Amino acid sequence: MTKIEQMVEQVAESYNSFPYDSHAFKWCSPAYIRAAAYLYGVDLPPVQNARVLEIGCASGGNSLPFAFMYPEAEIVAIDISEAQIAQGQDIVKRAQLSNISMHTMCMTELPNDLAPFDYVIAHGVLSWIPKQMQPQLFKAIQKSLSPNGGAYLSFNTYPGWRARETLRELMLWHSRDSKEIQHKVDKAREVIPFLEEGVSSHNLLQPAKEYLATQLPNCESQNYYLAHEYLELHNNPLYFKHMIDFAEQANLRYVGDAEPNIECAEYYQLADNAELIKLCASASTAIEQQQYLDFAIGRSFRKSLLSSNQHPQQAFDRPDFSRLVDLLFAASFEALDDNTYTQAKRYQVLDKYVDVSCPIMQEMLALLQQHWPRPISGRDLFQLVSTKNQKQSEQALTQLFMLFPLEMSRSYEDLPLCLQDLYSGLIPGAATLMSARAEGSSNIAEFNAWYSSSIAEMDDAELFVIQQLDTIRNPWQVADALEQMWRQHKQLPQTSQTIDNPEQQAPLYVQSVIDRLHKYAIYI
């Protein structure tokens, strides 16, 4: 066995003994990738019948959603962890999916007859493999990618990961005598209070360490994250420029980031920063300008889109936001009542607040909120105001894209069936993954119609309703089934509510579950 093979075996054993929770990430959705690439001037293949390869698929958290939502597509997913692949294969068998195959395989073992693929995805692989293998990942992508296809590659990057690297080294040092991974994680948690309160103000990294301590997961269910993000045998971040060098050596071309807004200085309020402008002006390429921006903001993670050198279109140097009108968008947020502002409206987006004073943007947000989780075309958003204010509309749409984490699709045809006009009900696959997770047989998170994980704590009654919605579909019939269960006390679905009147409460309860699932785009 070669040294590289030994390293791969060690990494595989790490994930076999401590599997990574497997999630869906919208940036890994071929439909999202296609939409993002379009803003850079690169057209990628339609996704309904696409062939997709995922390298480092874990248990299939990224691949399974695509298989469920795009039944005419074909997916091949590989990972070196036999235990994780087994979990994914169980779901494939349970759901009787015929359009996905999952294999315990290293990327270097990909057979030639698998190629070509329209999309190749490698989320969280590049940084977590031995340095000697990093060029091989790019070769595997190049080997598998069709001339017109696109690839997604995410990785930890410098300079931002420097601070995290010192945290990793502290955890490794403190757990140096531990042999078992669980004991290492327990020891790693012991340094968190030290980071919060024990770092001297003379330490130049003190603010960064305090911030990182607040970002570390504080529950045991997230132990897998500490184990693999900070305690893994290999974690080798790269500077953006070094990633580009690897890509070019493999005849791959950089398209842009999967989040096009984060490649723009204005996203960080740096568009008018004289010193950044001066440095970027000295750069000979857009790639070098991006490297300066990474230094300016301390970027620690990148989600890069690549294409083959044979692709007929060269990517733009920066995203063309005039193309936003050609895309479809959806957004989930909460409009808040806030009397502090006279004209501005405040919105809560995930864990932050955004104040919007532009009336055009406010109209756009109202329309998006009204249609969630179904999409609205960029052209419909653009045409909310009169044609005389087209420039204002374009600016408002661009600003909306900058400030809000929008879901997006290149076309109506790229939408999964569950987001198209005539669909109503639970999205395909959600009940299967929720049930498997509740049984303890899977660590694969459920997903929503926009390809994002949505782990929700479900009690027995909620899970019963979800399972019934998946088979019966008719909410009134589901309410009847729930009422009968409550009346007969057979396999009683437990809920925190007191059940005094099953006939009256069952329909209300079913509707409350549907409303909750609709909010998270799991029920359409």
Side-chain angles (χ1 to χ4, degrees):
M1 183 181 292
T2 67
K3 186 176 180 180
I4 290 291
E5 288 172 336
Q6 289 177 336
M7 289 180 178
V8 171
E9 193 173 272
Q10 286 176 313
V11 174
E13 181 52 36
S14 169
Y15 285 93
N16 284 332
S17 60
F18 220 84
Y20 207 95
D21 272 17
S22 199
H23 295 264
F25 298 95
K26 71 177 183 182
W27 305 287
C28 300
S29 160
Y32 184 97
I33 292 170
R34 187 178 186 224
Y38 177 78
L39 294 178
Y40 289 98
V42 175
D43 290 311
L44 297 179
V47 301
Q48 289 287 355
N49 302 98
R51 297 194 75 236
V52 180
L53 169 68
E54 182 172 15
I55 299 172
C57 66
S59 301
N62 268 324
S63 295
L64 287 166
F66 194 72
F68 277 115
M69 292 198 289
Y70 294 89
E72 301 303 317
E74 181 184 352
I75 304 97
V76 176
I78 67 169
D79 196 277
I80 59 173
S81 168
E82 185 176 0
Q84 293 188 138
I85 287 293
Q87 277 197 26
Q89 288 173 334
D90 285 345
I91 296 296
V92 171
K93 183 177 180 181
R94 183 170 180 161
Q96 298 182 323
L97 292 172
S98 58
N99 62 339
I100 180 172
S101 60
M102 302 185 69
H103 309 273
T104 305
M105 182 187 298
C106 182
M107 61 188 175
T108 58
E109 301 170 334
L110 280 167
N112 292 325
D113 58 4
L114 280 179
F117 290 91
D118 299 306
Y119 294 89
V120 179
I121 297 163
H123 176 67
V125 177
L126 180 60
S127 308
W128 289 268
I129 55 178
K131 286 184 177 181
Q132 302 93 315
M133 291 190 69
Q134 287 179 330
Q136 296 182 43
L137 175 57
F138 292 88
K139 292 177 182 177
I141 293 172
Q142 187 275 334
K143 168 185 175 181
S144 306
L145 191 63
S146 72
N148 293 321
Y152 168 95
L153 178 79
S154 64
F155 58 99
N156 288 338
T157 191
Y158 295 132
W161 230 86
R162 291 292 184 195
R164 286 176 167 82
E165 209 161 47
T166 61
L167 173 54
R168 165 176 157 82
E169 289 166 357
L170 171 60
M171 289 181 173
L172 289 172
W173 167 252
H174 188 63
S175 62
R176 63 192 181 280
D177 295 327
S178 303
K179 303 301 180 185
E180 297 295 326
I181 185 62
Q182 182 60 61
H183 191 238
K184 278 183 172 291
V185 170
D186 293 339
K187 295 292 287 183
R189 288 199 178 280
E190 292 178 2
V191 308
I192 297 177
F194 165 74
L195 294 170
E196 294 173 329
E197 301 178 12
V199 179
S200 168
S201 59
H202 294 283
N203 188 331
L204 294 177
L205 292 175
Q206 183 211 26
K209 289 180 183 296
E210 289 181 352
Y211 169 77
L212 290 174
T214 66
Q215 301 301 303
L216 293 172
N218 58 9
C219 55
E220 290 186 4
S221 64
Q222 300 287 304
N223 279 347
Y224 72 91
Y225 177 81
L226 280 181
H228 297 299
E229 184 73 2
Y230 289 99
L231 300 172
E232 190 56 74
L233 182 63
H234 302 282
N235 193 332
N236 300 301
L238 297 84
Y239 278 103
F240 174 62
K241 185 61 175 68
H242 295 159
M243 186 281 294
I244 294 296
D245 290 341
F246 281 140
E248 290 178 347
Q249 290 166 16
N251 294 317
L252 295 169
R253 187 186 296 161
Y254 183 67
V255 174
D257 199 272
E259 283 189 276
N261 51 348
I262 70 170
E263 288 210 322
C264 302
E266 50 264 44
Y267 179 78
Y268 309 96
Q269 291 78 52
L270 290 172
D272 299 322
N273 185 285
E275 296 306 319
L276 179 61
I277 292 172
K278 187 188 302 181
L279 284 178
C280 288
S282 70
S284 58
T285 66
I287 298 296
E288 292 176 359
Q289 291 178 356
Q290 281 299 308
Q291 186 62 79
Y292 280 124
L293 183 61
D294 281 9
F295 278 109
I297 65 173
R299 199 189 304 278
S300 60
F301 193 70
R302 270 193 171 270
K303 303 176 293 295
S304 297
L305 304 181
L306 306 171
S307 67
S308 167
N309 269 350
Q310 299 176 53
H311 196 286
Q313 293 161 322
Q314 176 75 48
F316 302 149
D317 285 346
R318 56 173 285 135
D320 179 2
F321 294 123
S322 70
R323 290 183 153 220
L324 289 170
V325 297
D326 299 326
L327 303 181
L328 300 177
F329 300 101
S332 177
F333 53 86
E334 184 179 357
L336 304 176
D337 292 327
D338 193 327
N339 297 326
T340 306
Y341 299 88
T342 54
Q343 293 183 336
K345 290 187 178 180
R346 173 163 287 191
Y347 303 87
Q348 182 171 358
V349 186
L350 302 176
D351 59 349
K352 68 177 183 178
Y353 298 102
V354 180
D355 295 319
V356 176
S357 57
C358 172
I360 302 175
M361 270 187 67
Q362 292 174 2
E363 287 188 59
M364 290 177 174
L365 289 165
L367 191 60
L368 287 166
Q369 188 177 38
Q370 177 186 341
H371 283 79
W372 173 261
R374 297 190 191 278
I376 292 293
S377 74
R379 204 160 296 280
D380 284 344
L381 292 172
F382 185 79
Q383 292 174 349
L384 278 174
V385 296
S386 69
T387 53
K388 294 180 181 179
N389 294 319
Q390 284 191 0
K391 187 166 185 61
Q392 290 181 357
S393 273
E394 185 174 318
Q395 290 173 344
L397 187 54
T398 299
Q399 191 67 6
L400 179 71
F401 187 76
M402 284 287 181
L403 292 176
F404 286 81
L406 301 178
E407 317 295 349
M408 61 184 184
S409 177
R410 172 67 186 92
S411 67
Y412 181 85
E413 290 72 26
D414 272 358
L415 295 174
L417 178 63
C418 60
L419 282 174
Q420 296 184 16
D421 293 339
L422 300 179
Y423 190 92
S424 177
L426 201 66
I427 69 169
T432 301
L433 291 182
M434 286 182 181
S435 299
R437 197 174 183 90
E439 294 164 7
S441 62
S442 169
N443 66 357
I444 306 171
E446 65 269 14
F447 58 94
N448 69 10
W450 287 103
Y451 217 84
S452 294
S453 285
S454 178
I455 298 177
E457 293 295 330
M458 296 286 174
D459 62 29
D460 292 344
E462 289 171 316
L463 189 58
F464 175 81
V465 169
I466 290 167
Q467 292 167 337
Q468 294 298 307
L469 285 170
D470 192 46
T471 54
I472 300 176
R473 297 186 67 84
N474 186 307
W476 290 104
Q477 293 178 331
V478 173
D480 288 341
L482 181 62
E483 178 192 344
Q484 292 303 313
M485 289 290 282
W486 279 341
R487 286 188 183 280
Q488 297 171 13
H489 294 273
K490 293 180 179 178
Q491 301 175 355
L492 181 67
Q494 297 297 319
T495 174
S496 57
Q497 301 178 17
T498 301
I499 307 302
D500 297 321
N501 187 339
E503 182 178 3
Q504 183 179 14
Q505 287 177 263
L508 295 175
Y509 188 82
V510 170
Q511 188 58 51
S512 71
V513 174
I514 288 175
D515 290 344
R516 184 182 177 192
L517 296 173
H518 183 269
K519 177 181 179 181
Y520 295 108
I522 299 174
Y523 189 97
I524 309 299

